[in-house]
Structures are given as structure tokens and as C-alpha cells.
Amino acid sequence: MSSTKPNDSQPRVAYYCMEYGLDPSFRIYSGGLGILAGDFLKAARDGGYPLVGVGVLWQQGYGEQRVSPDGNVSPLFKTYKHPAVKDTGVRVKVRVRQRPVTCRVWSCTAFGNVPLYLLDTNLPENGPNAAITDRLYSGDAAHRIEQEIVLGCGGYLALRALKIPVDVHHFNEGHAVFAGLEILRRQLASGLSFDRAIAATRRQVVFTTHTPVPAGNEQHPLALLREVGALDGLTRAQAVAIGGSPFNMTAAALRLARAANAVAELHGVVAVKMWAHLRRAAPIHPITNAVHVGTWVDPRILAAAHRPAALWDAHQANKRALIQLIAKRTGVRLDPSRLLIGFSRRAASYKRWDLVFSDRRRLDALLKQRRIQFVFSGKAHPNDSGGRAMIERVIAIGERYPNAMAFLPNYDMTIGAALTRGADVWLNSPRRPNEASGTSGMKAAINGVLNLSTLDGWWPEACQHGVNGWQYGDGLELDPPEKQDRHDARELARVLLTQVVPTYYDNHAGWVAMMRASIESTRTRFCADRMLADYYRTLYTVA
Ligand SMILES: *Cc1c(COP(=O)(O)O)cnc(C)c1O
């Protein structure tokens, strides 16, 4: 394993991310990217690594959806009253549309994390620019670019103002890439040629890509970036040499970094292919995501892992807690003695929420007799009507089976934790190879909740079919996608009906043995300590 040990001789890292999921009460996250970042900062603290986080203090929580129809800006100057953050007193100025915008710098260490520095622009002196940090992933492309200037340029300047020494700037996703341009501008200003300035920048930057879907990689027209001010100090040719035209944030990050990583082995293969056309880009290594066990795993489950009866009892307690939460929030009364299948995801179409209902005829009797029960949760992006429709279809199906199906609204960390502890089976249906990694299945696996998933994201690395969970679809990728969907739907029904349901009802000892295998095969490999050690060895430390 790792020969590197956390100590003072480790490289000092600044980790930039648009969102952080540290605690359910601290609503500056939207989903998986933020959860990963929050877990990362906690594992860094646990391991004593010299790492700090950089992010944005969003004024309204993601998904709170408090949109004022008349464009009323009155809430803007309300100070964000989160007790978890402290004003550092430091202010830095970024330039947006040729004008200075003041960023206030907060710090947060309240959740067992290394220091996290958060910026916001919510100051009267900023005029309309006070609204730049209003809401995560809101607004149009220009607004997004302004937010990214705050994260990247503001974040970089904040660390300097705070006198925090940094050896490596780590951009988690392309959102922070303007920090790379900030570093580059300084190299150019010191008199280096463009090529040397790029080389000097790359020595300080590493990058994590998360998006195996080409359309998911953010890009902007050069003219818009120039108008907002993101390309200040660079010629058009230089900007194109970095990000292309249109300017692709992922391509730019790969060209400004000395090393990069994908977030699972399969994703690594996909990402290397996807970016093979880029010249002079960072090599992409696979480093599989992981979860902070202290946050997501019930210690009673780990303590009981070797004792089948105690393990089952601990699981049933979690299942009853989940069923109570569902009853309280939705009125649906599920039965703790019946198989409960959990599913919670962002409502992106490749996640195929309704794959399991493709052939509802085969499930109809089981649902009516409550041999299987489902709980779903998840949000669609406000602008994603297709995602909303997918959620609505699942809710409509649920209405036909009132005591066998529930939909928990407002998916967040609290629901995420309850579901990945309390379900019996964790269903995952991404259309391979679109899921970069996924981490909810890891939370489930370490809690003894058995994964039933296509071989996508992290699952090909862990799955021992019929031993610690199940796969369906055999990792096939078929063209056109409808063909793959039909194939996977058939296979899902087959594995569910011939393996999962019979094991649950007819082979209790076998089921509990699988729970134990699930825990033992994942608890160290998909624990965030391993992930941090991998980042230090593969990405942060220069050989
Ligand atoms: C774990 C978690 C995620 C990430 O889940 P995946 O769907 O596996 O990517 C997202 N949101 C919340 C609230 C979580 O707890």
C-alpha cells in the first residue's frame, strides 16, 4: 500500500470545489460532487494532511427554490447566518467586466474537516454584483462564469491574503480553472514566455475530471468569457491554446495541470479516450472515489459485522428508522418484514430511474402482495424538464401501489444517510459507461445494504455477483441506447426475480452472509482514507 505518511513534509494542497456537502444543515451543496468534496476534507483532517478547501458561501441553499417572480433583490444583503462559518476579516478583489468585485472570506472548521475557506460577494459596495454568489448552479452562462471567477481567482487570492502556503492547487471539476489562469497571468507578468509560463503553472496544478458524458463538460464562447473578464491578460491565441474555441473548461484544466485523474477505473478508460485528441494535456490516472465512513456508516453495523444475528438486528433497526422517516414525511407505511429496495439519484436520464418498471407486468403481483417495496428520492435540476418528467412517472407508478412505494421529496444528506443504511437493496441503473463513479452505493455496501447495479461507475471494481451484491447487464454496451435499455431491463427483472427476492425470503442465512461480504469487501477499499493516500501518492507528490 501507500508508503506516504501524513506529515509535515507532504505537499500542501489547496482543494477547490464549487460545492461542499459537510453537514445536512450547511446547505452549500447540491449532490455527489459536493458530498465527495465534504468527505475529502473530513478524511484530510482525520489523516492529518496539510490540505485546505476553497469554495463559495452560497446565500441560498440549493434546491430551496425560493425564487422571487418579480426579481425582488431584497434578500441579497441579508448576511448568511450560518453559525458554522466565521468571518476571517480578509477581503479580496476580483475583476468582473473590468470592475472590481469584493469577496469576503469566511472559514469553516465545524464538521471535523480541515479548514474550508468560503467566498461570497454579498456586500452593498458590490451593487448588482452582490448577487454573484446567490445560488449554486443558478442563472445563465454569464452568471456561472462570474461565480467561477469568484471561486478560482478569488479563491487563489484569498489563500495568498491569508498567507496559506500552497504547493499544489487541486481543481475538483473544471469550475475552478480560472485559478489556473490567475497563476498563469502572474507567470506572464514576471516576464516568462507563454510556454514557460504554462510550464510553471502546470507544476502547481492538478485536476480531477468527473464527467464521462461529452455534453456534461462545460464550455463557453470566447467572446462571452472575454466580456465577463475571465480571459483578462490573455490574447485570443493564448486562450485558444488553453481551452480551444469554444473554450472548454475541462480541456483547459487538463492543459493547465501537470497530472489529472478520473474517479473510477472504468471512468479512467473512458476519460483517456475522450481527451486523447488534446495535445500537451495532463495524463489522466484513475483514482476511485470513496466515502467518509464516520459520516455515512452506522458504527453498530461495523461492530456487528462478524455476528450474523447482531448484524441483522442492527440492520433491522436502521430499516425501521427509515420506514418511520418515510411514514412521517409521506404517510406511506412500509412493512419492515418485507424486502425494501432503495433508489436515490439526481434525475438525469442516463440514470434510468424507471428502468425497473420497464416491464411492470412482471413486478405487478409482487408489488400488490408487497413482496417488494420501493423507496425513491432525488431532485431534478430546475431547468431539466426531462428529469422532472422521469420523477413524475415514478411517482405516478407509486400511486398504484400505495403501501409498497414511497417517494421522499427534498433529497439531502439526511435522507441519503437514512436510505443507504435502512434499505435492504440499493438499486442503481445507470446506462454504462455514463456514471463516473457514484458514492451512494459505497455507503450502502459498507452498511450491509446489498447493491443491485449495472457494471458502471465504481461497481465493476467491487462486484462479486451473488457474493457481496449483484450485477445485471453483464457490462454490455449496446447501440442504439434503446437496445441497451431493453437488454438491461430484462436482465434487471431476471436477477431481481430469480436471485434477489428468493434469497431474501428463502435463504436468510445466505442473505446475512452476503451483507457481511458486502461490508468486508468494501469497508477499507472504498473508505476515504484510502482515497486520500491515493491522491497524495498519485497526484500531489512529484516523484
Ligand atoms: C451520497 C450522496 C450523493 C452521491 O450519490 P450518487 O448518486 O451515488 O452519486 C448525492 N447526494 C446525496 C445527498 C448523497 O448523500
Side-chain angles (χ1 to χ4, degrees):
M1 277 278 301
S2 169
S3 61
T4 51
K5 287 261 173 348
N7 62 43
D8 292 344
S9 64
Q10 297 277 17
R12 296 160 297 188
V13 178
Y15 181 92
Y16 295 69
C17 190
M18 203 69 151
E19 48 170 306
Y20 289 88
L22 285 162
D23 188 81
S25 68
F26 195 19
R27 295 161 68 90
I28 57 166
Y29 70 95
S30 124
L33 182 72
I35 302 293
L36 177 75
D39 282 8
F40 207 93
L41 298 195
K42 290 175 186 172
R45 163 81 183 271
D46 295 347
Y49 290 101
L51 186 142
V52 299
V54 177
V56 176
L57 188 63
W58 304 103
Q59 269 133 57
Q60 293 178 27
Y62 181 83
E64 273 176 80
Q65 292 148 346
R66 280 185 287 141
V67 190
S68 134
D70 53 354
N72 188 342
V73 291
S74 59
L76 278 182
F77 301 122
K78 263 207 303 192
T79 307
Y80 192 104
K81 286 218 185 56
H82 199 286
V85 298
K86 285 200 198 71
D87 189 344
T88 62
V90 167
R91 305 287 182 264
V92 295
K93 283 192 194 330
V94 296
R95 290 180 71 77
V96 172
R97 299 172 204 279
Q98 320 296 326
R99 308 184 61 176
V101 174
T102 304
C103 306
R104 194 162 34 179
V105 185
W106 306 83
S107 80
C108 168
T109 50
F111 303 106
N113 54 293
V114 291
L116 169 60
Y117 297 101
L118 295 166
L119 284 78
D120 85 322
T121 60
N122 190 20
L123 293 162
E125 70 192 74
N126 285 330
N129 284 330
I132 290 176
T133 54
D134 56 356
R135 271 190 292 145
L136 178 58
Y137 307 138
S138 67
D140 57 11
H143 193 60
R144 169 71 76 93
I145 294 164
E146 294 165 0
Q147 295 178 334
E148 289 166 340
I149 291 174
V150 170
L151 173 67
C153 305
Y156 177 81
L157 296 173
L159 294 171
R160 288 178 72 94
L162 290 159
K163 302 200 166 39
I164 293 172
V166 177
D167 302 309
V168 181
H169 296 268
H170 178 183
F171 306 157
N172 190 39
E173 240 322 343
H175 306 129
V177 76
F178 300 148
L181 299 186
E182 187 67 34
I183 298 170
L184 178 68
R185 273 193 285 274
R186 281 159 196 269
Q187 305 298 334
L188 290 169
S190 77
L192 292 185
S193 69
F194 182 67
D195 282 352
R196 290 191 174 208
I198 291 271
T201 303
R202 293 182 70 170
R203 279 197 285 279
Q204 305 176 46
V205 174
V206 301
F207 169 59
T208 303
T209 178
H210 288 265
T211 318
V213 187
N217 286 273
E218 182 182 345
Q219 54 182 30
H220 299 289
L222 286 170
L224 179 64
L225 287 166
R226 186 161 304 292
E227 181 194 317
V228 179
L231 302 179
D232 286 2
L234 298 177
T235 66
R236 184 190 148 84
Q238 290 171 340
V240 172
I242 295 166
S245 177
F247 187 94
N248 186 293
M249 304 287 275
T250 308
L254 286 167
R255 287 200 181 103
L256 291 174
R258 67 158 193 257
N261 76 293
V263 292
E265 287 181 13
L266 176 62
H267 178 219
V269 174
V270 173
V272 165
K273 254 193 244 156
M274 197 168 143
W275 300 107
H277 62 283
L278 288 191
R279 298 193 47 222
R280 291 201 255 181
I284 303 174
H285 311 277
I287 301 179
T288 303
N289 282 348
V291 296
H292 185 253
V293 168
T295 299
W296 297 108
V297 180
D298 180 359
R300 291 170 303 181
I301 289 281
L302 293 182
H306 293 283
R307 293 171 290 133
L311 178 57
W312 182 251
D313 289 347
H315 172 66
Q316 282 298 109
N318 287 336
K319 186 171 176 183
R320 280 192 300 272
L322 170 61
I323 286 175
Q324 261 165 31
L325 177 83
I326 294 168
K328 200 170 102 200
R329 296 213 184 164
T330 71
V332 175
R333 306 204 161 270
L334 300 176
D335 180 343
S337 72
R338 306 297 179 100
L339 177 64
L340 176 55
I341 301 174
F343 184 103
S344 64
R345 299 265 136 46
R346 185 162 55 83
S349 63
Y350 77 83
K351 297 192 187 243
R352 301 188 298 188
W353 278 44
D354 42 4
L355 188 76
V356 69
F357 301 120
S358 303
D359 186 354
R360 191 145 47 82
R361 241 173 358 98
R362 293 176 73 181
L363 294 192
D364 185 68
L366 288 174
L367 279 161
K368 284 197 176 125
Q369 300 154 12
R370 281 221 265 180
R371 297 267 292 174
I372 52 176
Q373 310 172 101
F374 284 98
V375 51
F376 283 84
S377 191
K379 287 176 185 165
H381 186 278
N383 303 336
D384 177 10
S385 53
R388 268 206 312 279
M390 190 160 67
I391 295 180
E392 282 159 12
R393 279 200 299 280
V394 166
I395 292 175
I397 293 168
E399 277 160 8
R400 296 162 184 243
Y401 308 100
N403 291 309
M405 257 179 86
F407 178 79
L408 271 170
N410 281 318
Y411 179 43
D412 66 357
M413 287 178 75
T414 304
I415 293 179
L419 287 171
T420 54
R421 293 178 183 204
D424 296 307
V425 168
W426 194 246
L427 175 62
N428 189 29
S429 317
R431 187 185 297 126
R432 177 177 159 125
N434 289 286
E435 186 70 88
S437 168
T439 55
S440 60
M442 300 173 188
K443 301 170 195 167
I446 308 176
N447 276 307
V449 172
L450 301 180
N451 277 270
L452 168 60
S453 173
T454 51
L455 286 172
D456 199 9
W458 74 289
W459 189 230
E461 294 167 47
C463 176
Q464 300 162 258
H465 182 72
V467 176
N468 66 354
W470 297 271
Q471 63 87 20
Y472 61 92
D474 298 319
L476 290 189
E477 295 170 27
L478 303 174
D479 219 16
E482 297 74 36
K483 192 168 165 192
Q484 185 170 343
D485 294 351
R486 282 194 299 275
H487 167 266
D488 288 352
R490 258 195 321 273
E491 285 298 293
L492 170 53
R494 186 179 67 76
V495 174
L496 182 59
L497 300 181
T498 66
Q499 300 187 37
V500 180
V501 173
T503 307
Y504 186 82
Y505 288 107
D506 307 333
N507 181 5
H508 179 70
W511 187 276
V512 180
M514 286 186 73
M515 288 174 64
R516 179 174 163 185
S518 170
I519 297 165
E520 294 302 346
S521 61
T522 54
R523 64 192 288 180
T524 50
R525 273 178 71 201
F526 300 98
C527 151
D529 301 352
R530 187 275 303 153
M531 175 170 68
L532 264 286
D534 281 353
Y535 272 87
Y536 268 85
R537 194 176 47 235
T538 309
L539 218 57
Y540 298 157
T541 309
V542 184

